[in-house]
Structures are given as C-alpha cells and as structure tokens.
Amino acid sequence: SGFRPKIELLQDSANLFLDLIRLDAGDRLGEVRFATTVTTDFGPLGDLTEITSANINDAKDEVNNLNPDGLTDIEGGLQRGLNLLTAAPDGDERRRVVVFLSDGMPTAGDDPTDPTFLQQFDNEDVKVFSVGFGTEGASGNAGIDVDLLQTLTNVGDQGFYQVTESALELDKFFVNAVAGAIGSDVIVDPIDDINPGETHTVDITLGQQDSVASFILTSDNPEFPLDLALRTPSGLEINQGNFNSFGDRISYIDAPAHDIYQVHLPIAAQANTDHAETWEMVIRNPNSETVTYSASALAQSSVHLDFLPLQSADGIFNSGEPIPLRLFLRENNQVPIREATVTVSVTAPRE
C-alpha cells in the first residue's frame, strides 16, 4: 500500500463504503467515533440521518477528519450505534446493521463481551459486521481482539467478521458490508496483480432479476491508478469518455483509491438492449509498476442468496475437514425458491 499510514487506508475504505451506499433512497446513516469518549459525528441532532446527494460529502468529511487519539471505548461505541438504530421511529421495519471497525483492544469503558450487553443486539435483530485491521508487514494481528470480533458475529441477526492486514481485503470487507446492509449480492471479488501495459478482464454474470449493478475496482497504491471500463454483453465498451451519453442510467465515481460504475439495467446500446448475460470489467495498467487490485461487483436483485457458514465446535476447521454451509435462496424476500440449483465454488485465498 505504498507504506501509507493506517488511518489513511481506513479512511479510503470507509469512503468506498459511502460511495456504494444508496443516495436519496430513504436509507439512513450514523457515524460513531469511539476513543476516550464516544461521539456521534454524522447527523445534525445525533440521530440516524437520511443519506442524500446533498449531505454525502458531510459524511465523508467526518471520516476524513478522523485521527487516532486517546483510549478505545469499544463497548461505548457499540452501545451508541445500537441506540441510534433502536431510537429510529420505524427502526423495527428496516434492516438494522452495525458496521464495526477497530484496529485495537478495548482500553476504556465497560466490557463489550458482557452477555447482557450482547443480548441487546439479538433482541433487536441487529446484524453486526465487524473488522479488525492490523498493520501490514508488522506483527500480524497482534493487538486486535479477534475473540471479540467473533463474539459480535454470533449475536444479532447473521453478521460476519474479518481480520486482515491488507488494505484490499479491508476494501472487500466494506463491499460485503454494503451488500449486507442494503440486501445486494456480491457476484465476484477476486484479487490479482496486473503488470505494466497489461489488460485484464473479469467476467460478471447478471440475470434478468438484477435491476442495478455496481462494478468496483480498488488498488493497493493510489499513486499508480488503473483504468476501468465495462464491456456489455453486446460488445460495447463503456468508459470515462462515453458513460455520460447514457444519462442517469450510468454513473461513474473516480476516487483516489477506487473506481465505481453503477449501471441501472437495462441500458440501450446502439441497436441492442443490454441486461442479462455476461458483462466484463476491463482493467488496464498504464503505469510502469505492477499493481495489485481487487475487482468486485454488486447486484440489486429480486432474487437473494443468503449464505450462513456453520461454526465448528472449537471455531476452527482443520485441513481436510468438511465445512458445512447453509444457503437460503429467496425471491422478493418470500419463501425459498423450490427446485433451484445452487453451485458453490471455493477459491483458495492468496498467500
């Protein structure tokens, strides 16, 4: 990551999250800072605030103004986040999610593993997506309360956790957190290296039930930006030079650490209408250095697949041991689809 300070990497990933959430769609957001004291940083009255095109930059400003300071009151931060969700007048009718990010251990406040405290998340059907971010190339995950992250995952409504030292893996966490928060599906999210002058393509298969697709490219060093384009099923390339010709059907975000195309399906491309079948993310490296990147795609669809890995007795699956999975395939959030076929592909993580 070019030896950038950890706080900058955290801010990049949090801004990616903010660039992916839905604007002007009625979704609400709160940002909580927990150090020696706990504060609600986004929201004029300290409440959940509807996130819109008019105030999204205010939310980003609060993220960009974060500085590591003081102690770490994890319990206080989580309690404030839970209070924001439960205080909303129609909160019980909405999906409730806490996205918890920490790079350390609790050093202030009450015990966040207290069973009475944790039971609140279960009682209120709150999902907790938590990530511990270490220092790449340092002492691994030392200083991160991994047990706490796993405990938070097991309370509430089917959350998940991740521990990483990689900025790209942190980006992937936030992509998955957005998907979990708004009910989208992550189609692909590979990580790869691209050499100078190379072009890579990543296939994205969309279905007729998909209404909005987001194509996301992040890289490990903003000093060497990559070029991202899309190729539709009919073969048309969509890039920075022509996406505006599609009006509000396609938007593009060019941030220092990520690129995002959002496509409202279907789109009219010359004599064709592109929707389902295979799209391609076209990634080009115009730099003189090899760059590591992550390519992801999210789809908002009427068909959803929920994935729940079952825990082993000791929390660890040893080499060669089968890992049981529980999958729920639903349409319009109703009863499971009958006689459907689900194929699971396992990809080994990068060393």
Side-chain angles (χ1 to χ4, degrees):
S1 300
F3 304 104
R4 300 170 63 213
K6 184 161 60 172
I7 186 64
E8 290 185 9
L9 302 177
L10 295 171
Q11 289 166 331
D12 284 348
S13 293
N15 277 300
L16 171 63
F17 177 90
L18 293 173
D19 277 335
L20 287 172
I21 60 178
R22 299 178 296 197
L23 303 181
D24 307 306
D27 294 339
R28 293 180 295 199
L29 176 73
E31 293 176 356
V32 175
R33 182 198 311 237
F34 53 96
T36 305
T37 59
V38 176
T39 58
T40 303
D41 290 347
F42 176 72
L45 300 176
D47 299 321
L48 287 181
T49 301
E50 184 173 336
I51 192 73
T52 68
S53 53
N55 64 17
I56 183 64
N57 285 333
D58 295 335
K60 291 182 180 181
D61 287 343
E62 295 296 345
V63 167
N64 295 331
N65 289 333
L66 287 173
N67 287 300
D69 180 43
L71 302 176
T72 306
D73 185 359
I74 289 178
E75 189 272 349
L78 288 168
Q79 185 67 63
R80 177 70 63 86
L82 180 64
N83 291 346
L84 288 172
L85 291 171
T86 57
D90 58 347
D92 58 344
E93 301 174 5
R94 293 169 175 257
R95 185 185 298 259
R96 297 172 168 182
V97 174
V98 171
V99 180
F100 170 68
L101 169 63
S102 178
D103 64 351
M105 307 280 284
T107 57
D110 295 330
D111 180 9
T113 63
D114 178 73
T116 301
F117 166 73
L118 294 174
Q119 185 62 39
Q120 300 176 94
F121 294 87
D122 206 18
N123 294 342
E124 299 293 344
D125 293 326
V126 173
K127 296 177 183 285
V128 181
F129 304 149
S130 55
V131 62
F133 186 49
T135 302
E136 192 166 7
S139 55
N141 300 323
I144 297 175
D145 196 338
V146 178
D147 291 339
L148 170 62
L149 300 181
Q150 185 170 13
T151 299
L152 290 172
T153 299
N154 294 331
V155 302
D157 181 21
Q158 298 181 20
F160 62 80
Y161 84 99
Q162 184 171 342
V163 179
T164 183
E165 306 164 26
S166 162
L168 291 180
E169 292 289 350
L170 185 64
D171 290 340
K172 289 176 64 174
F173 165 82
F174 276 103
V175 169
N176 281 274
V178 168
I182 67 175
S184 292
D185 298 312
V186 180
I187 303 174
V188 296
D189 59 350
I191 290 179
D192 203 355
D193 295 324
I194 183 168
N195 295 319
E198 283 188 344
T199 297
H200 287 187
T201 58
V202 178
D203 290 347
I204 312 293
T205 301
L206 299 177
Q208 291 291 344
Q209 299 85 0
D210 297 327
S211 58
V212 181
S214 297
F215 303 88
I216 307 126
L217 176 69
T218 66
S219 64
D220 67 343
N221 194 337
E223 293 183 8
F224 302 105
L226 302 176
D227 293 334
L228 174 64
L230 304 179
R231 188 169 292 129
T232 71
S234 66
L236 174 69
E237 181 169 306
I238 300 169
N239 52 47
Q240 297 179 44
N242 66 4
F243 79 93
N244 279 323
S245 63
F246 294 90
D248 61 2
R249 304 300 294 175
I250 300 179
S251 63
Y252 172 65
I253 294 175
D254 181 12
H258 59 263
D259 295 77
I260 302 172
Y261 284 99
Q262 186 176 83
V263 181
H264 292 259
L265 301 165
I267 64 167
Q270 299 173 353
N272 301 295
T273 298
D274 285 312
H275 191 167
E277 300 185 4
T278 301
W279 292 61
E280 290 181 337
M281 296 177 66
V282 183
I283 303 162
R284 299 182 174 97
N285 183 2
N287 305 287
S288 59
E289 301 287 336
T290 297
V291 178
T292 304
Y293 69 85
S294 172
S296 304
L298 298 179
Q300 297 178 37
S301 174
S302 60
V303 175
H304 295 285
L305 178 67
D306 293 325
F307 163 74
L308 180 63
L310 301 180
Q311 298 294 323
S312 66
D314 58 0
I316 298 173
F317 291 102
N318 297 313
S319 177
E321 185 178 356
I323 302 176
L325 306 176
R326 181 177 295 165
L327 303 173
F328 300 92
L329 186 64
R330 296 180 173 89
E331 187 167 13
N332 293 320
N333 292 321
Q334 301 300 314
V335 296
I337 299 174
R338 297 183 179 276
E339 299 181 3
T341 299
V342 176
T343 301
V344 178
S345 299
V346 178
T347 303
R350 290 167 56 90
E351 295 294 335

